[in-house]
Every structure is written in structure tokens, then in C-alpha cells.
Amino acid sequence: GRGSQGPQLTLVSLIASGVMVKKGDVVAEFDREDMLSRLDDFKSRVQQNDSNLASVKSQLEALEKDHALSIKEAAADVDRARLDLKTSPVRSAIDQERYRLALEEAEAVYKQSQREVPLMQTSLQSQWKVAELARDEGFAELKRIEANVDRMVLKAPIDGLVVMMTTMRRGSADQAQIKAGDQVGAGQPVMQIVDLSSMIVNALVNQTDAEQMRVGAKSRVKFDAYPDLELPAEVYGIGAMPRASQFRAEYLSEVP
């Protein structure tokens, strides 16, 4: 949006108009206190997510060790039940049956714990992925906010002259040069950085004179406001379509 459309941004600092700047120089800064506060909150959140990830890893490793230990204990129970069953010839019929049932139960528990291994690994991997996803999403959001904070500081894209734009201030019908403290809308031009080493003059010539002009032809440019100033130039482009003149007779056309 332009002007009052969308959120308004407050200029907290601004370089002076007419200053020569180098590429990368800071030329303007918007109020970013709220963004910096959000950035601190997200840094804390990302740190918490990292801590959570380490905690989840420890918990999953502990669960895996506990399950491995339970399998080992189940295998030991099977071995003990088999040894007890070997003594059954000297035992009563009741003891023999009890040892046989104990072995069956121990073998069933052992087999069940082994069947749980792939299911448990899938569950652990799923929990780990969820924790990783939370960490990665938080990190991506942190980078987005960091980029937005950086965008609140404007830097010169080229070497050149600062030319400040104008804006309408509340309570005034006149255009005024933008200054620190002003509020501007998203997309509203604040300033121009002008490359004085290579400038383009937009001019109009009589259609009959345009026939004698060629792209690449050398020229000299003079300005009414600076009568003693004469700049070397070259014809860069000639308009394809003539247009009616605002100051000459209707039958005379001009070429940009």
C-alpha cells in the first residue's frame, strides 16, 4: 500500500538531504523497538526448543535402555524357568506343572518384548521428529524476524546524493520534506539516492529537429537555472512516437 494504507512506520533517524553517501551507509532507521522485543522472545523460545530437544533425546535414550534391559531380564527369566524345569524329575507333579507354566509365561513375555522393539523404535523416532520440527519451525521464524529487523534499517544501495522526498502532514495542505519523527506507510518513497556520475535528461524536441538526431550523437546540456553550467552528453534514446505539443501549434509535434 501507499501513504495511509497499511501499518504506519515511524522514522527515528534520517540522513540529511543533499549529503553524499557511499554504498552501504545507513541512511534511515525506522522504530523497531517492538520487533526487537519480539526477537528477544523468539531467541528465548528457540533456546527453549533446543533444551527441549536435548531433554527429549535423553528421555528417548532412557526409554530405549529400559526396554533393552526388560528384554534382557525376560531372557534371563526364560533361562531360569528352563533350569527349574530340568529339576522337575525330582519334583512333585504340581511343581512340574508350575515350572512348565512358568517357562511358557517367560517365553511369551520374551517374545512379546522382542515384537515391541520395532514399534517402540517407530514411536521414539516419531517423538524425536516432532521435537525437531518444533525446533526447526522456531528457528525459521527467528530468521524471518531477524530479517524484518534488518529491513528497518535502510542502507544506500549505491554511491550517490541523498534527495529527500515529500509527504503530507496531518493538519497541513502542503507537501513537506520528510524528516525524522514522520510516519510513512508501506511502499511510500522516503528518499532517492542519485548517482551524479551518470544522469539522464528527459527532453522534448521538435519533430523536424528529431529527424536529424541519432542515438550515440554527442551533445551539450545547459540549464536555465545555471546559465554558466554546460555538461557533456550523448543521445541515449529517441522516442518512436511523436506527440502533440503543449506550447506549439497543433500541427507541430514533439518527440521525447
Side-chain angles (χ1 to χ4, degrees):
R2 293 285 302 273
S4 61
Q5 297 179 6
Q8 295 286 295
L9 302 171
T10 302
L11 282 161
V12 294
S13 68
L14 201 60
I15 200 165
S17 188
V19 171
M20 292 295 298
V21 293
K22 294 289 186 183
K23 180 179 179 179
D25 287 352
V26 174
V27 294
E29 182 178 347
F30 293 98
D31 182 11
R32 51 183 183 158
E33 188 175 339
D34 289 344
M35 279 193 171
L36 289 171
S37 178
R38 285 191 65 208
L39 184 60
D40 288 339
D41 290 344
F42 259 89
K43 282 181 178 176
S44 299
R45 192 178 301 182
V46 168
Q47 289 173 353
Q48 184 61 49
N49 284 340
D50 281 334
S51 298
N52 289 345
L53 201 59
S55 175
V56 167
K57 185 176 183 180
S58 298
Q59 292 173 13
L60 298 185
E61 286 176 349
L63 284 171
E64 206 163 18
K65 286 180 181 177
D66 286 346
H67 195 256
L69 182 61
S70 67
I71 292 176
K72 191 174 181 181
E73 289 175 347
D77 288 343
V78 170
D79 290 339
R80 278 195 299 272
R82 283 174 178 163
L83 286 173
D84 287 340
L85 192 58
K86 285 180 180 179
T87 65
S88 61
V90 296
R91 302 282 184 173
S92 66
I94 295 175
D95 284 343
Q96 288 180 27
E97 183 61 17
R98 184 159 54 84
Y99 288 148
R100 188 184 65 76
L101 291 174
L103 176 58
E104 286 181 0
E105 183 180 354
E107 286 177 337
V109 169
Y110 179 63
K111 288 177 182 177
Q112 178 61 33
S113 61
Q114 283 186 314
R115 281 196 294 268
E116 288 173 355
V117 170
L119 296 174
M120 185 173 187
Q121 286 178 341
T122 301
S123 174
L124 296 181
Q125 287 171 2
S126 176
Q127 291 178 59
W128 175 254
K129 287 293 183 185
V130 168
E132 265 191 328
L133 185 61
R135 190 271 313 271
D136 292 345
E137 285 179 345
F139 187 74
E141 183 67 8
L142 175 63
K143 288 300 178 186
R144 188 185 69 82
I145 294 176
E146 284 178 338
N148 284 342
V149 168
D150 289 341
R151 290 189 184 102
M152 294 296 100
V153 177
L154 302 184
K155 296 180 180 179
I158 59 170
D159 296 355
L161 177 75
V162 174
V163 178
M164 207 62 59
M165 309 301 285
T166 59
T167 187
M168 295 290 293
R169 291 207 179 90
R170 191 171 296 176
S172 174
D174 299 324
Q175 292 276 347
Q177 193 176 87
I178 291 175
K179 61 179 178 39
D182 282 342
Q183 287 192 332
V184 294
Q188 180 179 350
V190 173
M191 71 176 67
Q192 290 180 336
I193 309 294
V194 181
D195 180 6
L196 298 180
S197 66
S198 177
M199 302 181 72
I200 294 177
V201 175
N202 290 318
L204 295 167
V205 296
N206 189 302
Q207 185 176 8
T208 56
D209 295 332
E211 293 175 0
Q212 302 172 31
M213 298 182 68
R214 297 290 183 271
V215 171
K218 300 302 179 183
S219 176
R220 294 187 304 277
V221 177
K222 294 183 179 181
F223 304 91
D224 291 342
Y226 304 96
D228 297 331
L229 180 64
E230 183 175 296
L231 300 178
E234 172 182 316
V235 178
Y236 180 77
I238 302 171
M241 296 294 293
R243 64 188 190 187
S245 171
Q246 294 180 343
F247 306 104
R248 297 188 177 95
E250 290 183 4
Y251 56 83
L252 290 175
S253 296
E254 293 175 330
V255 176

